[in-house]
Amino acid sequence: MTLLFMLTVCSSFLALLATPSFATNQANSCRSYCGNITIDYPFSLDYGCGHPGFRDLLFCMNDVLMFHISSGSYRVLDIDYAYQAITLHDPHMSTCDTIVLGGRGNGFTVEQWRAPYFNPTPDNVFMLIGCSAESPLFQGFPGKHLPCRNVSGMGCEEYYDCPAWSLIGHKKVGSVYGSGPPECCAVAFEAIKAINLSKLQCEGYSSAYSLAPLRVDGAGGWSYGIRVKYSVQGNDEFCRACEATGGACGFGTDGVKQLCMCGSFNSTTNCDSESSTSSKMTLSLAVALAGSFIYMTTWIMGSQS
């Protein structure tokens, strides 16, 4: 009876070691939440998770998700994984109800190494307010063509109709721009590559984006915020292969090399390629231990008879 019991324990131990779930726990430990926003690849709140180009980017404070780049911190309103877009809010950005001056707005400028991953969407308009006549925007004015133009049907002419302008005593300048620069200049991000209020010598800015082909409500019906298109750059087969085998995409301590995190181990390819080798080693170890255990049990039982 004692021998049978010992053999049963040994068999159970062998089966446990041979079970893949014992060897690896491949749950996506990198997925997390902040308030009602899901944080998933390529984003992450934890260092080592997500895409290396998106590291040190998101922070969760009191269930409020913040996005931090060189120009400042923004509240994240939404992450659209299907369309690869993230919507941001700058508290010092002007809207239809409030004009914020004093150069307090963040604008939008990313670090050079991060620039390939983030660009405001083509249907996002930046309206620069109260810019100096010496601003780089107006170099060569009035002979040179200004970059000011409507973006996706949104521009300063409609924005001037917002109630906030009446509070600061707006007046249009000349027939076109008259003898001075306009009070508001609408530009697409691609036209100037960075929205830096200090370098552009502007007092403030507003940003709006369009998700529909036509808006009939005027500036009062625009969506105010900065809608940014993100991209992981190039072919992302590595991450797809990793996730298909139950892993979570991440990167190494160098902050560059991608890794597939498979629970109890990390892989430079995917969880299957490493786990098969790991399983074989685990099974071999289990067989060796079980054999030794059976031999010792038999020897002990024989010496007692």
Side-chain angles (χ1 to χ4, degrees), residues 46-119:
D46 300 320
Y47 190 86
C49 288
H51 190 280
F54 293 66
R55 68 180 187 269
D56 301 326
L57 188 69
L58 296 183
F59 301 89
C60 186
M61 297 180 289
N62 299 320
D63 286 336
V64 174
L65 187 62
M66 302 298 294
F67 177 99
H68 184 76
I69 53 176
S70 59
S71 56
S73 294
Y74 309 76
R75 180 171 182 170
V76 178
L77 302 179
D78 175 68
I79 302 178
D80 190 332
Y81 292 99
Y83 290 95
Q84 295 189 324
I86 182 169
T87 306
L88 308 174
H89 170 71
D90 176 2
H92 299 300
M93 181 184 74
S94 297
T95 64
C96 200
D97 299 316
T98 306
I99 300 293
V100 181
L101 302 177
R104 292 183 292 163
N106 289 335
F108 190 86
T109 306
V110 298
E111 299 87 340
Q112 186 175 359
W113 70 270
R114 211 192 285 276
Y117 301 101
F118 298 98
N119 268 300

Side-chain angles (χ1 to χ4, degrees), residues 290-305:
S292 300
F293 191 72
I294 292 172
Y295 174 79
M296 291 180 63
T297 303
T298 305
W299 181 80
I300 292 172
M301 295 300 296
S303 63
Q304 292 178 349
S305 60

